[in-house]
Amino acid sequence: LVLHGPNLNMLGRREPEIYGSLSLDQINSALDALAAELGCILAFFQSNSEGALVDAIQAAPADYDGILINPAAYTHTSVALRDAMAAIGLPFVEVHLSNIHRREEFRHHSFLAPLALGQIAGFGLDSYLLGLRALFNHNKK
Ligand code: DQA
C-alpha cells in the first residue's frame, strides 16, 4: 500500500524547486512500473486528512503486506499515524522527496521513523523507488 500525505496531491505545482516537477500520478506510474518488474501489486491512496490516513493504515493488514508512506507534514506532527503503525505492525518504509534533515529544524524529527524499516529522503522520485525496492526485498526474505 502506497500512502501519500497532505499536499502531495499538488506535486508538480507545489514548490517545484523543492519537490520537483513530477505530479503524483507520474510518481504512482513510475512505482507501478517498478512493481511490475519486481512482481508485486500496489494500491495508492492520498489524503489531506490525518484521520483518513489512520483509517487506511488500520485497514491495511487485511489486504497488504507492507506500506510505503510519505506522511508529508504529518511526519513531524502525528502521534496518531505513529500509533496506527504501531498498532498494525506491518513493515513500512518512510520516504520523502526532499532531504528533510537539511531543511528547517521542525522537519528534522519524524514521529514515524523509529518504527519504520528505514527512512529514505532527498532523492525525489528515487526516494519512492528505493523505498519500494527495500520494502519488497525485506518482505521477500
Ligand atoms: C515531504 C517533506 C515534509 O517536510 C513536507 O511537509 C512535505 C513533503 C517530502 O516529501 O519531502 O509535505 O514529506
Side-chain angles (χ1 to χ4, degrees):
L1 175 62
V2 181
L3 292 179
H4 303 285
N7 300 306
L8 295 175
N9 55 312
M10 294 188 66
L11 282 180
R13 288 167 289 153
R14 171 193 181 205
E15 298 181 275
E17 64 290 352
I18 297 175
Y19 299 116
S21 57
L22 294 181
S23 67
L24 194 60
D25 280 349
Q26 288 172 314
I27 288 175
N28 288 343
S29 296
L31 282 167
D32 257 341
L34 177 59
E37 202 182 291
L38 296 173
C40 63
I41 295 169
L42 302 180
F44 302 95
F45 181 65
Q46 187 276 331
S47 183
N48 296 323
S49 150
E50 189 175 15
L53 291 164
V54 169
D55 289 342
I57 292 168
Q58 286 185 10
D63 294 312
Y64 308 108
D65 299 322
I67 299 177
L68 182 69
I69 184 168
N70 183 347
Y74 293 142
T75 307
H76 321 297
T77 63
S78 182
V79 176
L81 289 187
R82 179 201 175 108
D83 285 353
M85 287 298 196
I88 63 161
L90 273 188
F92 76 96
V93 174
E94 177 182 321
V95 300
H96 300 280
L97 294 154
S98 64
N99 181 352
I100 55 175
H101 301 288
R102 69 174 197 202
R103 298 183 60 196
E104 302 95 323
E105 182 120 19
F106 68 84
R107 296 186 200 275
H108 297 180
H109 178 255
S110 167
F111 279 101
L112 284 85
L115 303 181
L117 294 174
Q119 181 196 67
I120 303 172
F123 299 104
L125 170 63
D126 280 338
S127 292
Y128 282 92
L129 298 177
L130 291 164
L132 177 59
R133 260 185 208 285
L135 183 58
F136 179 80
N137 288 339
H138 170 87
N139 279 356
K140 221 171 44 177
K141 279 181 204 148

